[in-house]
Amino acid sequence: MAPQIAWLGLGNMGRGMIKNLVEKADLDKPVIIFNRTTAKAEKLASTLPSGKVKVAKSIEEAVKPADIVFTCVGDDKAIEQTISSALEAGGKGKLFVDCSTVHPDTTDKLTKTITDAGAEFVACPVFGAPAMADAGQLVCVYAGPKAAVQKALPYGQGVMGRANIDYSDQPQSAATRLKIIGNTLIVNMVEALSQGHVLAEKSGLGSSDFHKFVETMFPGPYTAYSKRLLTGDYYNRDEPLFAVDLARKDAKHALALAKTHGARLRGVEVADQHLSEVQKHMSSKGDIAGIYGAVRQESGLKFENQ
């Protein structure tokens, strides 16, 4: 008999992950989903196959019948509050799998809180954009006791993701350390592309020709982000793909981790300064790709390229 799964927290990533979970995993019960805004959970449920999900009106309603509880929320404060409420609802004996991007110290705190309550815990942050979540192409990073990780692994590769990185029997915070360090590559990539596009425009080469070079030389994420800059998607979206507030949260976690261990991330420092300008210009609608607009302004151009 397959375990009963509950999912706490929705968002750009969570929606795609749940979609693939209900469509591809070997389940014999509907996934119970909870979100603070019930209407969002009900809207997601309406897009999924009938009988595959059940919307809970409270964390207790979601957690009580569950064997495995997935969580995916926006920041450290939110995950601590979510886990606290879930444990109060009766977490003993359950497996908690957290897919949030948080500071490794937060993961260490969660590990103690959850295990002290008599439950199991696996950290499982994921790499990939919302479109990759929708397509089941995420990279899932697992860390925690091997026996617990083995229970969570079947929902990664082939279901929510294209690959698993397995850190079994390593501290749960090993997964979030990799996630935080890995995300510095994304912010540095957007920073480098933004500077390249701006210099191409200012020097007379032109952004279109620079994009063609990127497309030929660096297919994949570089090309995808380059296209977002070229087409103006970085400021035209109704809803950000990678919200600036979350991008700054990740950058600050990386800078704090580096400071703790005597390292310096100058590229991330520069990118975070540009992200602060994106926040000022676009508020919560800002996207990590808005770094391009900030670099444009710094170089005497308008934030918007069209």
Side-chain angles (χ1 to χ4, degrees):
M1 181 178 289
Q4 173 66 68
I5 292 178
W7 191 288
L8 310 181
L10 302 180
N12 286 346
M13 297 295 288
R15 290 194 294 266
M17 294 168 78
I18 293 169
K19 168 182 172 289
N20 284 288
L21 186 63
V22 302
E23 291 179 354
K24 299 178 183 179
D26 183 19
L27 304 175
D28 54 15
K29 308 175 189 71
V31 174
I32 305 170
I33 58 175
F34 169 78
N35 192 62
R36 284 180 300 176
T37 305
T38 304
K40 289 185 178 180
E42 291 174 338
K43 182 178 179 180
L44 173 63
S46 71
T47 68
L48 298 172
S50 177
K52 289 288 189 178
V53 296
K54 176 184 176 183
V55 176
K57 301 294 176 65
S58 68
I59 287 181
E60 182 179 9
E61 184 183 339
V63 170
K64 201 166 184 180
D67 302 302
I68 301 177
V69 180
F70 282 89
T71 53
C72 188
V73 298
D75 58 34
D76 300 57
K77 182 179 179 181
I79 189 57
E80 290 188 44
Q81 291 174 342
T82 298
I83 291 297
S84 176
S85 297
L87 292 174
E88 287 176 8
K92 187 175 181 179
K94 303 182 189 298
L95 169 63
F96 287 84
V97 183
D98 182 38
C99 302
S100 311
T101 300
V102 296
H103 194 286
D105 288 352
T106 300
T107 303
D108 285 335
K109 287 171 63 178
L110 293 176
T111 300
K112 186 176 189 309
T113 298
I114 292 169
T115 55
D116 283 354
E120 296 179 290
F121 179 47
V122 169
C124 181
V126 298
F127 287 101
M132 294 173 71
D134 289 341
Q137 292 295 301
L138 298 172
V139 174
C140 306
V141 187
Y142 293 87
K146 186 172 183 177
V149 169
Q150 289 299 312
K151 296 177 186 178
L153 277 173
Y155 306 107
Q157 185 175 351
V159 178
M160 294 188 293
R162 63 178 175 84
N164 293 335
I165 296 177
D166 185 353
Y167 287 167
S168 287
D169 287 336
Q170 292 195 44
Q172 286 87 342
S173 56
T176 41
R177 278 198 298 274
L178 178 62
K179 175 60 175 172
I180 293 299
I181 296 170
N183 273 9
T184 67
L185 303 183
I186 296 172
V187 73
N188 282 324
M189 173 183 68
V190 178
E191 180 69 34
L193 284 169
S194 298
Q195 293 183 21
H197 271 280
V198 167
L199 183 55
E201 180 174 344
K202 295 280 286 189
S203 68
L205 173 66
S207 283
S208 294
D209 283 343
F210 178 70
H211 174 70
K212 290 175 184 176
F213 159 74
V214 173
E215 201 171 32
T216 303
M217 193 74 180
F218 304 109
Y222 273 85
T223 292
Y225 267 101
S226 181
K227 185 176 181 180
R228 294 191 65 203
L229 308 190
L230 180 69
T231 61
D233 179 78
Y234 69 95
Y235 69 89
N236 272 321
R237 302 187 62 84
D238 292 330
E239 185 177 346
L241 286 179
F242 190 160
V244 63
D245 294 347
L246 297 182
R248 288 208 77 193
K249 178 259 297 181
D250 292 355
K252 289 184 182 302
H253 282 342
L255 293 171
L257 187 65
K259 183 177 181 180
T260 297
H261 296 282
R264 186 78 183 269
L265 302 176
R266 291 186 182 273
V268 178
E269 291 172 8
V270 171
D272 186 53
Q273 290 172 4
H274 287 143
L275 287 168
S276 72
E277 295 302 316
V278 178
Q279 281 182 319
K280 292 176 186 176
H281 192 84
M282 299 191 68
S283 189
S284 61
K285 287 186 66 175
D287 186 282
I288 189 173
I291 286 174
Y292 179 43
V295 175
R296 288 175 59 82
Q297 285 183 317
E298 195 173 65
S299 302
L301 300 170
K302 291 183 178 180
F303 187 97
E304 296 80 7
N305 66 343
Q306 295 175 2

